[in-house]
Each structure stands twice: as structure tokens, then as C-alpha cells.
Amino acid sequence: MKKVLSIALAVVMMLAVCVPAFAADITTDGGTGTVIIKTATTTSGGDDARSFTVTVPADQEIPWGAASYDVSYEVETHLAYGETLAVTVAGEQGYMSYSPEAGVELPLPYALMGEGVDYATTEPNVYPAVTVPLNVVVTEEDWNEAVIGTYSDTLTFTAEILVG
């Protein structure tokens, strides 16, 4: 068995050395040759070439009493044919909260408004990056009823590639 395996391995190695280079030969007498060029769908490092970037704002501080505060973000995509990007934004609690002491939580309602709440690209490539409008809106009534303090919530940006 070892001898058969050794012979088979030796034959495979010999054949590997004999693989011809697949290139067009044009002799010194002239002539033409053809070459097919094509792109890969992977980078030179072997990674998938599709990419997208959603640049979201860093932590934001909303001025007290602001009716609307801009938290717009940017989107850039480089996707395959038939693919688009969808981005959704949601608040963790749906309201900002302030805890002045243990066991006490005061809410400050807000709403997310603008195209950026549920955004979807219409083309596979969005370049250069586009700004997607998004605002945090607090009503005057809610500001007037709120105790002064540092209220907060976490916004979650979810991005996914859609096919078709």
C-alpha cells in the first residue's frame, strides 16, 4: 500500500511540474494573440470586495429645551448588482431617562424623525458618501415637565445588505 501511494504521489508531483503556462505566444514573425481580462470579487487579500460604511455621530449632548437635535449619519456603499443597504435606527428604551438616586428613574420622551430612521439605498453603489437626515425631537410640553438633570438613552444603528 505504501509503495502504491508513493508511486501515485510521485506521478502527481511530476504532472504538477509539467503544467503549461496558459499564455498567448506571438512569434517573432508577427501575428496576434488574445487575452481575457476580468475582475475578481475579492480583494488582493482574499476578502469579499463588497463593503459599506455607516458613519454615526459620537456621543451627543442635546441642549436643554432643544425642540429638535440633528444626529444625521453618513452612508457609503460598494455592493454587488442587485444589492442595496438598509439602515434602521432605534432607541434602546424609547425615552431618555435620568436616575437622580437609586430606585428613581425619570423619563423624558423623544421621537426619532427623518429619512434616517428607516433608510435604504436605491443603488448598489453610493459614492461619495451621502448624509442621511435624522433628528431627536422632544416636545415643548415634555421639556417643561422634565426635572433638570442628565437624561440619556442609547441609539442603535443596524445595517444589513438586502439582495433583490
Side-chain angles (χ1 to χ4, degrees):
M1 183 68 172
K2 288 182 185 180
K3 288 182 183 182
V4 172
L5 186 57
S6 297
I7 292 171
L9 191 56
V11 169
V12 169
M13 287 177 40
M14 297 271 288
L15 291 174
V17 173
C18 297
V19 173
F22 296 104
D25 281 336
I26 300 175
T27 65
T28 55
D29 297 340
T32 61
T34 60
V35 175
I36 297 173
I37 60 170
K38 62 182 180 177
T39 61
T41 59
T42 57
T43 65
S44 58
D47 298 323
D48 189 350
R50 299 177 312 162
S51 67
F52 64 85
T53 303
V54 178
T55 306
V56 301
D59 293 351
Q60 298 285 304
E61 188 170 270
I62 300 171
W64 192 265
S68 180
Y69 190 78
D70 182 27
V71 289
S72 297
Y73 57 94
E74 291 187 347
V75 172
E76 180 180 321
T77 64
H78 303 278
L79 303 174
Y81 181 82
E83 294 180 334
T84 57
L85 183 74
V87 179
T88 57
V89 183
E92 182 179 322
Q93 303 176 111
Y95 60 90
M96 290 181 271
S97 65
Y98 167 51
S99 296
E101 62 181 74
V104 176
E105 181 182 61
L106 304 173
L108 177 60
Y110 70 90
L112 295 173
M113 301 289 216
E115 183 183 357
V117 175
D118 285 305
Y119 175 75
T121 63
T122 57
E123 298 292 328
N125 290 340
V126 175
Y127 182 82
V130 296
T131 300
V132 182
L134 180 66
N135 289 294
V136 174
V137 176
V138 180
T139 66
E140 184 177 354
E141 181 181 334
D142 288 330
W143 278 121
N144 289 334
E145 292 178 3
V147 172
I148 302 293
T150 302
Y151 293 77
S152 65
D153 192 20
T154 301
L155 297 182
T156 302
F157 292 74
T158 304
E160 65 179 321
I161 295 175
L162 304 177
V163 178

